[in-house]
Amino acid sequence: MFVLVALLPRTRLTLASIAALAVGLIGVSAATPAESPAVLCTLKPGQATLPPGRLHGLALHLQQYPDVALATSQQRRAANRLLRRVRRAAGRWSDVTAAAASGFDTHLATRAPGDDAVGYLHAEHRRNSADKRILDPRRPESLIYATEPGRRPRLVGVMFSVPRRVLGPTPGGALTRWHSHIVCMRGNKRGLTPRPDGSCPSGASKSQGSEMLHIWFTHDLRSAFAVHAPLPELCRDGLLTKKACRAGLHVRGM
């Protein structure tokens, strides 16, 4: 298991300022995470995943779905309000062409012959990623489009992110969990995915990347705040084609 660097208090965005931003943006108070930043990704012996109440951690350690019962009624209302505002704000980018015109990078990776997997394009907006606005429904860092062969990309969610070493706000309590990934870091440059064998290029070292929050446009809170694409619910709610759902095509790009 990798030993991750602690989240250091060198950023100008403090937890208090993040909470204040969340109040202004979505009208609820953001709960301050109880976990120590130095142990966000620690698993106890015998654990395969972190407990459902954990608000931050590596994507491969967090449980796929949040435990809705752990959220208070106020937190569930806050999560519902956030979901509604995000869905309404993202409606203008339902067509990938409109998203590209607004500055989102909608370039699709080239598919290999015979690749019929469902992919999930994270169309990033570089200016939104650099503007230090936290959890702003009008300025998501990335739009998420499901991509299938022979079909135009379909908007299925958004992704928010925070600057490196900043904990994301959790207005929805256990519903609004933030995940991160192990990346190869070199100085202040953007982290890169490790090589297939898990190693990093010369001069780069493994570290914990910036935190992210996925919000999916499904019809229930549990799946809307899943860590990875909630394939059963995306199928249930008509966000993927029946062909893809019948075939149970594997997920690519997550």
Side-chain angles (χ1 to χ4, degrees):
M1 175 177 171
F2 305 121
V3 178
L4 303 182
V5 297
L7 301 182
L8 303 177
R10 291 189 293 175
T11 177
R12 288 176 293 176
L13 285 174
T14 65
L15 291 177
S17 66
I18 293 174
L21 279 168
V23 171
L25 291 174
I26 60 178
V28 297
S29 56
T32 300
E35 299 91 349
S36 166
V39 294
L40 292 181
C41 306
T42 300
L43 292 178
K44 295 180 180 179
Q47 277 187 325
T49 58
L50 292 166
R54 290 296 294 269
L55 305 179
H56 307 265
L58 284 178
L60 75 163
H61 291 167
L62 288 171
Q63 297 185 26
Q64 161 69 339
Y65 295 99
D67 186 340
V68 179
L70 293 179
T72 66
S73 58
Q74 181 180 7
Q75 290 168 340
R76 289 194 294 272
R77 287 194 297 271
N80 267 313
R81 182 161 53 245
L82 175 61
L83 176 59
R84 287 195 305 270
R85 292 183 177 182
V86 168
R87 192 193 300 267
R88 182 168 60 246
R92 74 192 77 174
W93 304 303
S94 58
D95 187 282
V96 71
T97 304
S102 295
F104 290 92
D105 183 357
T106 60
H107 291 93
L108 290 170
T110 302
R111 286 182 178 269
D115 179 5
D116 57 358
V118 177
Y120 293 91
L121 166 67
H122 285 57
E124 184 184 6
H125 197 297
R126 289 298 182 95
R127 289 198 303 275
N128 290 359
S129 296
D131 66 7
K132 306 296 175 67
R133 298 287 291 272
I134 304 295
L135 206 58
D136 186 341
R138 299 162 298 178
R139 298 182 66 83
E141 281 69 35
S142 296
L143 304 172
I144 307 175
Y145 292 89
T147 62
E148 300 177 46
R151 186 192 189 198
R152 285 183 64 78
R154 182 163 187 175
L155 184 65
V156 296
V158 304
M159 188 188 81
F160 294 100
S161 62
V162 291
R164 196 183 306 171
R165 303 187 183 96
V166 172
L167 291 177
T170 57
L175 290 166
T176 45
R177 303 167 301 156
W178 291 76
H179 68 273
S180 54
H181 298 275
I182 294 294
V183 295
C184 295
M185 303 291 298
R186 182 184 284 113
N188 290 323
K189 293 182 179 180
R190 176 178 293 229
L192 301 175
T193 302
R195 294 165 172 162
D197 65 359
S199 66
C200 290
S202 176
S205 59
K206 289 176 183 173
S207 183
Q208 182 176 4
S210 299
E211 289 199 323
M212 295 165 275
L213 171 69
H214 285 140
I215 299 181
W216 307 96
F217 295 154
T218 54
H219 297 165
D220 67 278
L221 278 179
R222 179 174 176 269
S223 61
F225 289 95
V227 174
H228 307 288
L231 187 59
E233 291 81 11
L234 291 173
C235 288
R236 178 198 67 194
D237 298 335
L239 295 171
L240 299 177
T241 64
K242 292 181 180 179
K243 177 182 177 182
C245 295
R246 283 196 303 267
L249 298 177
H250 64 279
V251 175
R252 180 171 59 81
M254 290 300 293

